[in-house]
Every structure is written in C-alpha cells, then in structure tokens.
Amino acid sequence: MTQTTYDIVIVGGGMVGASLAYALKNSSHRIALVEAFNFKTTQQPSYDDRGIALSYGSQRIFDTMGLWQQLSPHSTAIEHIHISDRGHFGATRLSAQQEKVPALGQVILARAMGQVLNQAMAESDTLDIICPKKVVAISQESNQATLTLDDKQQISSKLIVAADGANSTIRRLLDLSVTEQHYQQTAITANISTERPHEHRAYERFTEHGPIALLPMPDNRCSLIWTVKTGDEGPINALDDAAFLARLQTEFGYRLGQFTQVGKRSHFPLKLTQTEQTIQDRIVFIGNAAHNLHPIAGQGFNLGLRDVIALADVLIDAKDCGDPRHLHDYQQWQQQDQDNVIKATDTLVRLFSNNNVVLGHGRSAGLIALDLLPPAKHWLASKSMGLGKKQPRLARGMTL
Ligand SMILES: Cc1cc2nc3c(=O)[nH]c(=O)nc-3n(C[C@H](O)[C@H](O)[C@H](O)COP(=O)(O)OP(=O)(O)OC[C@H]3O[C@@H](n4cnc5c(N)ncnc54)[C@H](O)[C@@H]3O)c2cc1C
C-alpha cells in the first residue's frame, strides 16, 4: 500500500520523469512517480525503437548520476557530424578530435534507455512507483496539491512535477495556455542498414521538404529521422521496403553507399508546443510537458535532462519542495536555456525547410563559412554537445 502524502510527486515516467526520480534518489524526500503505462509492456510511448542522440553534456550528466555504465553498452559514439544541403554546394564537418573530446555525442536506443531507467527506479527503496495509473484530476491548495487517479485514489504532495509529455494532462486539467506552432511536417523514423560503414558519423541533410538525419547505431545500422511534408507520410509509408529505400536514396544520396534494409517504420507529426507558464502554485512543468521541439537538432531530451538536473539541484535540500522561491530559482536557471534552444531549433526548421532560392544560397554560404571558420564551428559543436552555460552540480561532475 503506497502512502498518500508526499514531498514530490512526478507525473509521467518517460525519459524525463524517470531521470528526475533517479537524480533525487539520495534525497530524504518522500517521492512518488505516477505513470499511465505498465513499464513491463512495449506500449510505453517514450521507449520505442528510435535512436536518441545524447549530447556530450548529457552523457556526462548520466555518468555523474551513476547510470552511464549501464547505458554505454547500448550506445554508439558520434565522432563526426556531416551537415549538408541537398541541391546546394557547401557542407560542414564537425569532429570530436577537433573539439578535443572523446565523442561529440552518443546514440542510444530509446527502448534500451527505458530498460535502464526503469531498472534503476525499481531498485530505489525511497521511491513509490504508482503504475499503471492515470492522473484524471488535480486541485491546488496553499500548502499542497492533490491528484486524483483513475482508480479514484487521491494523493497529495507539496510539489507536483508535470513530466507527462507534449499533450500534458496536468496542463489540460489546469486549462493553461500553450504556444503552438504547426510545422506541417511529419517525421518518419526507422532503422536502416547501409552498404558502407557509418564510421561513427552522423549525417544531417537538409532537403526542400525537410531534414533527413541518419545517426550511427550498433551493427552498422543507422537510425533514420526523415522529415516530410505532412500528408506525404501516408504514401511514403505505403511503399514496400525496396521502393521506400529507393525514394530515401534519391533524397539522401550515396554517402553511405546503397541502403540495403529498413526496419519497422513509425511517424510523428511535428510541432512546437511551449507551456507559457511552467511554474504554478505547487506545480512545475519539465521536459516535453514544458517544451516539445522539432527533432531537427536532436535537442528535446537533452534540454529535458537539463531541466531535470536544475530542478534536482534546487529541490535536493529543500524543506518545502513546493515553496515558490525554489520554483523561481529553478525557473531563473532554466528559462534562458529553454528559450535559447526553442528559438535556435525553430530558426533552423524555418531556414532549412524553405526552398526559396535566395535563402538556399544564403544557407550554402553559411555552411561553407561555418566549415572554414574554426571559432564558429567550435561554437556550433559546443552547442550540440550541450555545453556553454552556467551548469548545475550534476553537469559539473558533482553528485547530489
Ligand atoms: C522523431 C523524434 C526524434 C527525436 N530524437 C531526439 C534526439 O535525437 N535527441 C533528443 O534529445 N531528443 C529527441 N527527441 C525528443 C525526445 O524524444 C523527447 O524530448 C523525450 O522523449 C521527452 O520525454 P518526456 O519524458 O518529457 O515525455 P514523454 O516521453 O512523452 O513521456 C511522458 C510520460 O507521461 C505519461 N503520462 C502522460 N499522461 C499521463 C497521465 N495522465 N497520468 C500518468 N502518466 C501520464 C506517458 O505515459 C509517458 O510515459 C526526438 C523526438 C522525436 C519525435
């Protein structure tokens, strides 16, 4: 029987909520995590067959949290990144060697990350996992908030952390405003085998329909994120494997030789969703519940993980976890990071999804300039690695 009053209740056991539960494992707080899906089934939406690019900064965070050893057998290092624009000259190449780091990032199968995070949570004896249970109602009082679950159970907490994803139930129940930007683009994802080895190189290729990313995976496979105009995903996914690969080959080219095999395909409509006020009385929104990004730069979870460590840093020694001063401290820390990443991602989508000729020339000039200018390249690399701002303790190698 679980308790009914807590210091912190995390709603959502996806990558972000589970990472927060683990980051707080050494605290003396009473913590619960509520998740709608049974972790043991394959329905858990966060943990599918996508390859997730973790920045070098995120890898260091997991290392400090003590989870990298479990994650690393499932990961593939990104040693080079190749960025190009279909139909235009110019490409930019980033390399770990030039940036003097062992890797620019790591690609990890979302499903494997789920297994590691779920196992880590299951081993914690200070965490109550309430699952499978859905939050269906919420009320806020001055010193706590109360959740009602779908079995009518009520649980109260000094702080509710909404980590319940892009279509956040908590946000809907509180009738909060969101900024939404529909890109009219859909991402098709699948794992692909290639004729030539990827040699730990990630590719980002911009086309007039949207970007194509290929991330290196084990056994010389690549994780594909192919952005198409919304409406085109139906006919493309209806193609048989050979026709699908031929179509992809036309868009991407032959840098990896012939595409030889494709695994299960999925698709995700792409939009930017931003919760306007991420802190409320006794409630804070993190991860996709706060900001759902276009995957063009692979920043969504990396940003969510920085939300996690900033929040864990302010909560770890808090007496009253829902005290507005702590929530403001968190917001001060993360707001600028969130605004910067959202703006940069949105600008990239607009710049590289437009087949305007003038913009096209500007883009290729930009890519050539970036390739020739080491300081600009270094700046881009440090951004993709998730470095370059004042860091919470878990990002500086200090445990909580
Ligand atoms: C195609 C694609 C590629 C991507 N690639 C990358 C990448 O390379 N790198 C990167 O950093 N990011 C990437 N992302 C983004 C990344 O997937 C997300 O940022 C991340 O999954 C968000 O995790 P989350 O835990 O915030 O939300 P979710 O994964 O959506 O988890 C929310 C959880 O809350 C639960 N929940 C919802 N409602 C309730 C309720 N009422 N009660 C209880 N539980 C509830 C859900 O069951 C779910 O488990 C990509 C995204 C896409 C679409």
Side-chain angles (χ1 to χ4, degrees):
M1 174 74 184
T2 49
Q3 323 174 62
T4 52
T5 57
Y6 292 92
D7 294 304
I8 303 171
V9 172
I10 302 165
V11 181
M15 292 177 205
V16 169
S19 300
L20 179 66
Y22 191 74
L24 288 168
K25 68 179 189 308
N26 294 332
S27 80
S28 53
H29 301 316
R30 291 160 300 160
I31 306 178
L33 181 139
V34 185
E35 166 56 42
F37 287 94
N38 189 335
F39 289 114
K40 294 197 177 81
T41 68
T42 50
Q43 293 167 308
Q44 231 289 335
S46 215
Y47 303 133
D48 54 15
D49 288 321
R50 277 171 303 150
I52 297 287
L54 287 185
S55 68
Y56 178 59
S58 296
Q59 179 189 344
R60 283 203 320 193
I61 292 167
F62 277 129
D63 196 21
T64 310
M65 279 165 58
L67 276 184
W68 185 247
Q69 224 184 340
Q70 290 94 300
L71 289 170
S72 73
H74 308 285
S75 69
T76 307
I78 303 175
E79 292 171 6
H80 311 270
I81 302 179
H82 184 281
I83 307 169
S84 61
D85 192 1
R86 183 171 183 260
H88 297 96
F89 290 115
T92 284
R93 295 163 191 84
L94 306 173
S95 93
Q97 205 182 9
Q98 269 170 9
E99 297 306 317
K100 301 187 176 54
V101 288
L104 293 168
Q106 301 279 343
V107 183
I108 181 154
L109 197 67
R111 196 177 296 293
M113 179 146 44
Q115 278 158 6
V116 170
L117 286 169
N118 293 342
Q119 180 66 28
M121 286 199 299
E123 285 166 9
S124 163
D125 39 20
T126 56
L127 176 71
D128 281 345
I129 299 181
I130 306 174
C131 170
K133 291 278 172 329
K134 263 192 194 127
V135 172
V136 293
I138 183 167
S139 63
Q140 291 158 285
E141 297 113 61
S142 62
N143 60 347
Q144 63 176 22
T146 301
L147 298 174
T148 306
L149 308 184
D150 52 359
D151 63 354
K152 300 201 168 53
Q153 183 187 180
Q154 291 202 316
I155 52 175
S156 299
S157 177
K158 290 184 179 153
L159 177 68
I160 304 290
V161 181
D164 52 348
N167 300 316
S168 169
T169 307
I170 303 288
R171 187 178 61 215
R172 183 175 48 76
L173 291 171
L174 294 173
D175 200 18
L176 299 178
S177 313
V178 279
T179 308
E180 267 194 343
Q181 178 64 54
H182 290 266
Y183 292 119
Q184 309 304 335
Q185 293 182 346
T186 296
I188 299 175
T189 61
N191 294 330
I192 301 277
S193 301
T194 60
E195 185 189 8
R196 285 198 211 130
H198 53 60
E199 292 173 332
H200 295 270
R201 186 169 275 104
Y203 290 90
E204 179 99 52
R205 179 135 176 94
F206 296 103
T207 77
E208 59 270 41
H209 309 300
I212 300 174
L214 281 170
L215 304 173
M217 301 261 285
D219 306 322
N220 215 35
R221 283 172 307 139
C222 289
S223 173
L224 167 73
I225 305 166
W226 181 5
T227 309
V228 299
K229 211 161 72 202
T230 295
D232 287 354
E233 72 282 5
I236 292 178
N237 272 335
L239 296 171
D240 65 24
D241 287 358
F244 177 88
L245 289 175
R247 175 86 180 260
L248 177 64
Q249 195 93 57
T250 315
E251 297 289 323
F252 180 81
Y254 286 83
R255 282 196 170 81
L256 283 164
Q258 197 97 36
F259 295 135
T260 54
Q261 260 186 310
V262 54
K264 183 170 169 263
R265 303 176 220 163
S266 305
H267 66 273
F268 301 81
L270 301 179
K271 62 178 180 182
L272 165 67
T273 318
Q274 197 179 2
T275 299
E276 283 175 13
Q277 299 213 314
T278 53
I279 58 171
Q280 300 283 322
D281 288 345
R282 304 262 154 203
I283 297 166
V284 57
F285 290 82
I286 64 170
N288 270 25
H291 40 69
N292 173 40
L293 308 179
H294 191 295
I296 190 168
Q299 290 297 316
F301 175 62
N302 289 302
L303 177 61
L305 190 61
R306 296 200 292 278
D307 294 350
V308 163
I309 59 166
L311 188 60
D313 208 306
V314 301
L315 292 182
I316 192 90
D317 298 319
K319 285 213 167 57
D320 173 358
C321 291
D323 185 326
R325 284 171 301 183
H326 298 314
L327 301 188
H328 280 112
D329 285 349
Y330 161 73
Q331 198 178 32
Q332 286 246 306
W333 212 328
Q334 255 326 79
Q335 188 70 56
Q336 197 175 0
D337 188 14
Q338 293 177 354
D339 290 347
N340 289 347
V341 174
I342 289 166
K343 203 165 160 202
T345 304
D346 188 52
T347 306
L348 265 181
V349 177
R350 288 168 196 290
L351 187 62
F352 283 100
S353 305
N354 195 320
N355 58 4
N356 177 313
V357 177
V358 180
L359 269 181
H361 288 314
R363 282 195 306 249
S364 44
L367 287 179
I368 293 168
L370 207 52
D371 206 41
L372 295 176
L373 287 175
K377 252 169 88 162
H378 178 72
W379 176 85
L380 180 69
S382 75
K383 289 284 167 199
S384 4
M385 287 191 290
L387 306 175
K389 73 169 195 107
K390 185 173 164 274
Q391 313 262 342
R393 279 172 282 182
L394 277 167
R396 285 185 278 134
M398 297 161 71
T399 50
L400 293 181

